[in-house]
Amino acid sequence: MCQVSKGAVPELASESNPDDKRPRYRLIKREGLAKRGEFTTIHGTIQTPVFMNVGTAAAIKGAVSTMDLQEIKTQVQLSNTYHLHVRPGDGLIKELGGLSAFMNWDKPILTDSGGFQVFSLAKLRKIKEEGVHFNSHIDGRKIFMGPEESMRIQSNLGSTIAMAFDECPSSVADKDYIKASVERTTRWLLRCKSEMARLNQEEDTLNKGQLLFAINQGGVYDDLRIEHAKEIATHDLDGYAIGGLAVGESHEEMYRVLEAVVPHLPIDKPTYLMGVGTPVNLLEGVERGVDFFDCVYPSRNGRHGHLYTNQGKLNLYNKIFEKDTAPIEAGCDCPACLHYSRAYIRHLLKAKEMLGMRLCVLHNLYFYNTMMEEIRAALEAGDFAGYKERKLAGFCERG
Ligand SMILES: [Zn+2]
């Protein structure tokens, strides 16, 4: 199944020097295009491939605390710049010591640039070369956000990894529009990079080692995607994301774009597929060379009683679980499965008890984090292809 890498494989990094605190990506092992790596940051080392758990407004929806996250093997928490800028305000978070102190989370945090929310949530937006004018979706107040503003907000939040400010054009936009948009996104990237460099030198900056990832765009047009990937690869960012996917195109189109783009991104930097996806999408993404993923699916589906298992998804609202004393998944060591039955959690959901949602979200995130752990072990053992095949066969069992 796995394809052979088109690019030259770089030398594996030498043993790490404990005095060397610079961020670095170490490629530990490859199988086809799939990468097993580790990324060292000032907030700790991230083992990849990794699934980042999405805490939109500095919390994972479903009453999940940062203590819970330690228990369910979360490595990186993602927070949304736009949401935190609108409420409670990045200035306030900076005053309170940054996101790490605010949330009491001492592991890595990735903040998005705000771009995706500006383009998907905000009303009455106007895109100009300097940035985007829009109205807050909370109270309608006028806000301007450009590359420099996004960097300043993320610097105030003090996240480990900041994302460059990009435009996310509609996937159905015509090619001429997307081409012009991608060119603007490149100009915005250079502005982000210089603003981030300036901010990291400032006396009162919370995280002077804040990292910056670039974002590849280009819709479903392989030629625009590849041209953009080659361009951003020359600018020596800390990591490279692929954005603008999982927004309505088919899974096959998404996989095709990944196959086209990933070989043109630096192999010695982490690759991040934004906003993706299902467990199957993660397996397919890893096979195509992706290191970082994030998605709201496990938490959102959990809140609706839709649970991931190794035999496929189950809907706990289904009446067949009314008297089922088994855990959500036998053998799962998550806090829900260790202590409670399907029947009890189903009752909580139907009674709209918050604990029901919470247990389901914990199970789903634990399922994702555990699957990534298994993927890393399979890559180390040189058995990712076999692992993927067995996993996909299992997902089909429940139909
Ligand atoms: Zn479980």
Side-chain angles (χ1 to χ4, degrees), residues 6 24 47 66 95 120 179 204 218 220 334 351 370:
K6 291 174 193 159
R24 52 186 287 166
Q47 301 298 329
T66 48
E95 212 179 306
S120 60
K179 187 173 190 311
D204 67 341
V220 291
C334 86
T370 302

Side-chain angles (χ1 to χ4, degrees), residues 274-296:
M274 302 180 81
V276 175
T278 66
V280 174
N281 293 155
L282 301 195
L283 289 163
E284 299 292 347
V286 167
E287 185 175 274
R288 289 163 176 81
V290 176
D291 290 283
F292 284 59
F293 299 87
D294 80 281
C295 190
V296 295

Side-chain angles (χ1 to χ4, degrees), residues 22-320:
R22 284 175 304 172
R24 52 186 287 166
Y25 177 78
R26 189 168 81 92
L27 186 59
I28 298 170
K29 193 141 183 187
R30 294 201 88 192
E31 184 178 324
L33 290 180
K35 294 155 82 183
R36 163 76 182 95
E38 64 178 23
F39 189 52
T40 304
T41 76
I42 63 159
H43 295 132
T45 298
I46 302 163
Q47 301 298 329
T48 81
V50 62
F51 179 77
M52 298 185 284
N53 296 184
V54 183
T56 303
I60 287 166
K61 291 188 194 303
V64 176
S65 72
T66 48
M67 284 82 81
D68 294 323
L69 296 186
Q70 306 278 3
E71 206 178 338
I72 60 168
K73 303 189 276 197
T74 301
Q75 293 196 71
V76 187
Q77 191 177 172
L78 185 150
S79 282
N80 290 110
T81 290
Y82 169 82
H83 288 285
L84 295 172
H85 175 59
V86 173
R87 184 177 54 194
D90 47 287
L92 177 81
I93 292 176
K94 182 178 183 182
E95 212 179 306
L96 297 173
L99 263 183
S100 302
F102 193 46
M103 293 194 286
N104 191 24
W105 174 252
D106 61 2
K107 290 185 179 177
I109 299 169
L110 182 142
T111 43
D112 67 0
S113 67
F116 183 77
Q117 281 73 27
V118 167
F119 290 103
S120 60
L121 281 181
K123 307 270 185 296
L124 301 169
R125 58 175 188 268
K126 201 167 185 183
I127 308 166
K128 292 186 167 178
E129 183 64 25
E130 65 264 29
V132 188
H133 295 269
F134 60 97
N135 291 68
S136 157
H137 76 293
I138 301 283
D139 55 13
R141 80 185 153 99
K142 286 191 176 127
I143 301 177
F144 171 75
M145 198 187 285
E148 290 79 10
E149 288 72 19
S150 174
M151 292 302 104
R152 284 174 212 147
I153 297 167
Q154 294 183 75
S155 179
N156 282 345
L157 297 173
S159 58
T160 318
I161 301 167
M163 297 303 299
F165 188 72
D166 63 332
E167 184 190 348
C168 309
S170 159
S171 58
V172 295
D174 66 50
K175 193 171 180 180
D176 287 345
Y177 183 88
I178 292 188
K179 187 173 190 311
S181 160
V182 167
E183 286 165 3
R184 182 168 48 217
T185 286
T186 305
R187 294 192 293 276
W188 283 358
L189 171 66
L190 300 180
R191 282 166 55 189
C192 286
K193 196 180 169 198
S194 61
E195 180 65 3
M196 174 67 69
R198 186 189 73 76
L199 289 163
N200 283 351
Q201 301 288 322
E202 293 283 293
E203 189 70 27
D204 67 341
T205 292
L206 287 174
N207 175 12
K208 295 185 176 63
Q210 194 168 32
L211 308 174
L212 180 62
F213 281 17
I215 304 176
N216 169 259
Q217 291 285 357
V220 291
Y221 303 105
D222 291 4
D223 53 342
L224 296 183
R225 286 269 177 191
I226 291 169
E227 197 185 326
H228 190 227
K230 286 180 178 170
E231 168 67 28
I232 59 179
T234 64
H235 295 295
D236 191 28
L237 278 301
D238 298 305
Y240 291 85
I242 299 149
L245 291 177
V247 289
E249 80 287 352
S250 69
H251 286 170
E252 287 64 35
E253 276 180 306
M254 176 169 79
Y255 300 148
R256 193 203 69 230
V257 168
L258 282 181
E259 282 163 17
V261 169
V262 175
H264 297 285
L265 295 174
I267 198 171
D268 57 350
K269 299 286 176 68
T271 304
Y272 166 24
L273 176 57
M274 302 180 81
V276 175
T278 66
V280 174
N281 293 155
L282 301 195
L283 289 163
E284 299 292 347
V286 167
E287 185 175 274
R288 289 163 176 81
V290 176
D291 290 283
F292 284 59
F293 299 87
D294 80 281
C295 190
V296 295
Y297 283 173
S299 49
R300 182 181 291 164
N301 282 327
R303 296 197 303 279
H304 292 96
H306 292 220
L307 296 160
Y308 293 96
T309 78
N310 285 302
Q311 291 77 46
K313 259 200 310 188
L314 61 81
N315 179 357
L316 216 48
Y317 277 97
N318 199 315
K319 197 167 167 57
I320 57 168

Side-chain angles (χ1 to χ4, degrees), residues 328 332 334 336-337 363:
I328 296 165
C332 175
C334 86
C337 292
H363 169 84

Side-chain angles (χ1 to χ4, degrees), residues 328-329 332-338 359 362-364 366-367:
I328 296 165
E329 176 155 42
C332 175
D333 291 327
C334 86
C337 292
L338 280 181
L359 293 172
L362 287 174
H363 169 84
N364 276 355
Y366 186 87
F367 178 86

